[in-house]
Amino acid sequence: MSIGEVLALLQGEFPDVSISKIRFLEGEGLIEPERSPSGYRKFSYADVERLRYILGEQRDRYLPLRVIKDRLEAADREDRPVTPPRALPGEAPPEVRLTRKELLAAAELDEETLTELEDFGLLAAVARHYDAEALAVARSVGALAAFGLRARHLRVVKAAAEREATLVEQAIAPLLRRRGPGAIDRADETAKEISGLLLELHASLLRSAVRGGLGR
């Protein structure tokens, strides 16, 4: 399968997965798809199941990639397949609700960094617990810290996200005003679609800007 076909298979179960995410996991050595003579990735069903395992362990058990990679390598040494965690039909993924200590462990952050994230408004606890979005933010900031980027540098990213959220809200406002059956569900799906398109646009513009900066 091509990377696009793999994405189509996974997005129903993992809506946030993207081509860049799959490429990142490959770059980190968690998956190794074959390559065609022209250099295109060729994924097997075993590769897809491996991706399901990785994404499920991240989403449902909040495991860092380092731990997941260790488990995959152990399975490879023992020549046994990995089994993706699967929800029952109609069952929603478990809600992420972490204590401060659990968030620090899952995101591999220190107390100082987490406090800095909260001080700059990049994440916040709700009823003294942290949800999946807080975990995703914490992991991303932890990875960026390796490049010298701290929470104070990332306020511009938060500001940009808030401006883009305003665009989404403006776009779905007419749907919400209809107040008919299913209006909220349609607005929610539309918001997700617009958000995905904005993310793709943002990524393309960022890549272009970085290339332009390197070419100066």
Side-chain angles (χ1 to χ4, degrees):
M1 289 169 281
S2 69
I3 193 168
E5 290 169 326
V6 171
L7 183 65
L9 282 175
L10 293 173
Q11 279 190 319
E13 190 175 352
F14 303 98
D16 294 333
V17 73
S18 62
I19 287 177
S20 60
K21 171 75 169 182
I22 296 172
R23 288 173 176 162
F24 171 75
L25 293 173
E26 180 185 1
E28 292 295 305
L30 282 89
I31 55 171
E32 296 181 6
E34 293 184 12
R35 294 275 183 163
S36 69
S38 55
Y40 291 103
R41 295 171 179 82
K42 294 168 59 180
F43 292 83
S44 66
Y45 282 102
D47 292 324
V48 175
E49 289 302 284
R50 194 175 179 96
L51 280 166
R52 279 201 173 99
Y53 173 81
I54 296 165
L55 297 169
E57 292 293 273
Q58 280 192 304
R59 181 193 65 192
D60 301 340
R61 296 190 173 94
Y62 346 120
L63 293 180
L65 286 180
R66 172 180 52 77
V67 174
I68 297 172
K69 187 175 182 180
D70 289 344
R71 294 185 178 186
L72 287 171
E73 290 175 347
D76 291 342
R77 286 194 298 271
E78 297 169 12
D79 195 26
R80 57 179 171 83
V82 293
T83 305
R86 294 190 185 277
L88 296 173
E91 181 183 20
E95 180 186 4
V96 176
R97 193 169 183 270
L98 303 177
T99 64
R100 189 177 188 85
K101 184 177 180 181
E102 289 169 338
L103 178 67
L104 289 170
E108 300 181 295
L109 285 184
D110 56 47
E111 181 69 38
E112 180 185 355
T113 301
L114 179 52
T115 299
E116 188 180 29
L117 288 176
E118 291 174 321
D119 288 345
F120 285 101
L122 291 167
L123 61 78
V126 177
R128 303 182 68 178
H129 286 82
Y130 299 87
D131 62 12
E133 294 301 333
L135 176 58
V137 169
R139 282 177 168 163
S140 297
V141 173
L144 288 167
F147 300 96
L149 295 174
R150 306 288 297 181
R152 64 181 180 275
H153 302 124
L154 302 175
R155 286 178 295 179
V156 293
V157 179
K158 182 175 185 292
E162 289 172 346
R163 288 195 296 270
E164 289 170 5
T166 300
L167 290 177
V168 176
E169 290 167 3
Q170 290 172 351
I172 66 171
L175 295 175
L176 292 173
R177 285 197 292 269
R178 292 177 186 175
R179 300 184 181 276
I184 293 177
D185 289 338
R186 283 194 295 275
D188 183 57
E189 288 302 315
T190 301
K192 289 177 181 176
E193 183 177 357
I194 296 172
S195 297
L197 293 170
L198 285 172
L199 282 172
E200 291 177 10
L201 174 61
H202 184 95
S204 297
L205 292 173
L206 178 60
R207 285 193 295 268
S208 178
V210 170
R211 282 198 301 269
L214 291 174
R216 288 173 188 165

